[in-house]
Amino acid sequence: MHVLVIGGGIFGATAALALRARGCAVTVVDPGPLPHPLAESTDISKIVRADYGADLDYTRLGERALEGWRRWNARWPRPHYHETGAAFLTRAPIQPGGFEHDSFVTLARRGHRVERLDAAAIAARFPAYRPGAYVDGYVHAEAGWAESGAVVALLLAEAAAAGVVVRGGCPIAQLTDDGAVAADGERLRADATCVCAGAWTHAVVPALAGPLRATGQPVFHLRPADPAPFAAARFPVFGADLARTGYYGFPATADGLVKIANHGTGTALAPDAPRETTAAHEAALRAFLADSFPALAAAPIAYRRLCVYGDSRDGHLWIARDPARPSVTVAAGGSGHAFKFAPVLGDLIAETVLDGAPADAALADKFRWRPELTVDSRGDAAA
């Protein structure tokens, strides 16, 4: 069976590997160089966590993914997943129904290494935080971050070594019943087609322009004068009162950069548009830093951009066959939180391409084809 995979990001790379492992002949095509410089998964880091409030479906999927990250690290020449832990802290006491409270309770019940922190413990443990800014929350030892762009490049190389045909510079003009037509008119024939086009999905499948959309979220890399307080041991991956601020970030890189980004409503964005942050984005960042991390408040910004999200309106992934064209599967809707699931994404997609849906019934329902989505209803799933 020959499967055409459209898109070489984290959905496409993992799908190609999983389909090849199941004996399929696989071709991956992508409009840009690979990894694509504008793709959702192309960056220096993405958070890996199983913290999903009271949502057991995503919690379990996160646990499976964490095991997969550890297996990948064991086989790679060097680790690309860094289990530094993650801190989810709040400016007011956590309450039932909130992301932090429900994540802590769910993870504790499932035997995870989570530790509740009050204001004094936060100040003692995390010296980069302004004392008293955050008064409650928890730290989860079984979490961290992955080198996202490097991981995609590595997975694509593994796919090519396994016999997958990987083609950059091959934009798709339209789908057909037996594959697709490239922009230059080349016919790409296949028994099944899997659209993994991220923020460009609606351009390949126009019927999904309503339930899927592209948004831009601001990302900044800052260079503190003293990176020591931002080392992973004292500054793990964090979510800073996510429901109120939207800010999250990472420990300092080896060259002393601290990445901080915002997950909010975002800015409507054409996928190929310039990725420029605004003065308002920077002003909001500076205000957040002054209140939360004073040593970063005036730190120079070494890099900035709008990170594109391929959003679904409800924040859930979209991994489903097209009811009108059963030979076409769409795997998209990352909504800013898909990358952490990389080690299990490929199996979910391959099961859908070959068997019609993911084997896990709860996930099959969550990720189903749902054209009725026209109004944003995204909740903590994508926080």
Side-chain angles (χ1 to χ4, degrees):
M1 181 176 180
H2 181 215
V3 182
L4 176 66
V5 176
I6 299 174
I10 197 61
F11 281 88
T14 56
L17 280 165
L19 288 162
R20 184 74 189 114
R22 286 162 170 78
C24 297
V26 184
T27 299
V28 175
V29 297
D30 192 279
L34 289 168
H36 195 300
L38 298 181
E40 292 175 75
S41 47
T42 303
D43 199 348
I44 63 170
S45 54
K46 301 289 183 185
I47 294 176
V48 175
R49 59 175 170 87
D51 311 61
Y52 269 89
D55 192 314
L56 286 177
D57 297 330
Y58 279 123
T59 300
R60 292 186 183 114
L61 193 64
E63 292 167 342
R64 288 168 49 196
L66 177 59
E67 294 171 359
W69 282 110
R70 291 166 175 164
R71 287 195 301 272
W72 278 358
N73 268 353
R75 83 172 191 227
W76 287 337
R78 69 168 183 84
H80 285 69
Y81 162 62
H82 306 278
E83 200 158 318
T84 60
F88 293 96
L89 308 177
T90 57
R91 293 172 170 174
I94 63 176
Q95 300 292 332
F99 170 79
E100 293 83 5
H101 176 278
D102 291 358
S103 293
F104 177 79
V105 170
T106 299
L107 293 168
R109 286 174 177 168
R110 296 181 65 79
H112 286 254
R113 289 181 288 140
V114 289
E115 179 185 353
R116 185 82 175 266
L117 303 177
D118 60 14
I122 292 168
R125 191 155 177 173
F126 305 133
Y129 285 72
R130 181 177 68 80
Y134 296 85
V135 302
D136 204 349
Y138 69 95
V139 63
H140 182 191
E142 298 162 280
W145 62 278
E147 300 171 31
S148 48
V151 167
V152 172
L154 186 54
L155 294 175
L156 288 171
E158 289 184 353
V164 174
V165 176
V166 180
R167 296 179 55 183
C170 186
I172 296 301
Q174 67 179 82
L175 297 180
T176 63
D177 290 338
D178 60 350
V181 178
D184 63 2
E186 180 185 1
R187 292 294 300 270
L188 303 168
R189 300 188 186 278
D191 300 303
T193 302
C194 187
V195 179
C196 300
W200 290 266
T201 297
H202 64 275
V204 183
V205 187
L208 298 184
L212 300 180
R213 62 175 189 156
T215 61
Q217 307 279 353
V219 175
F220 298 92
H221 298 180
L222 299 111
R223 190 177 295 282
D226 178 10
F230 300 95
R234 295 188 286 177
F235 193 79
V237 165
F238 72 85
D241 208 356
L242 280 171
R244 295 178 178 86
T245 75
Y247 282 103
Y248 64 95
F250 301 79
T253 61
D255 56 355
L257 291 178
V258 178
K259 174 184 167 182
I260 294 182
N262 189 264
H263 178 100
T265 55
T267 304
L269 183 72
D272 296 313
R275 305 292 180 80
E276 298 176 354
T277 58
T278 66
H281 289 142
E282 184 169 346
L285 172 75
R286 295 295 185 189
F288 165 74
L289 295 174
D291 181 66
S292 299
F293 311 125
L296 285 179
I301 296 173
Y303 176 75
R304 69 191 82 198
R305 77 164 186 166
L306 283 183
C307 177
V308 66
Y309 280 18
D311 279 342
S312 67
R313 295 283 184 177
D314 60 4
H316 296 309
L317 310 188
W318 187 297
I319 303 175
R321 283 191 186 177
D322 183 344
R325 290 178 294 188
S327 65
V328 174
T329 294
V330 172
S335 305
H337 71 129
F339 195 93
K340 66 176 69 66
F341 301 122
V344 293
L345 273 180
D347 287 334
L348 293 169
I349 298 168
E351 290 162 2
T352 305
V353 171
L354 300 178
D355 303 322
D360 185 310
L363 296 178
D365 181 65
K366 235 183 187 83
F367 304 160
R368 71 189 185 282
W369 196 272
R370 44 198 195 282
E372 70 277 6
L373 296 179
T374 56
V375 177
D376 290 344
S377 58
R378 187 174 69 195
D380 280 341

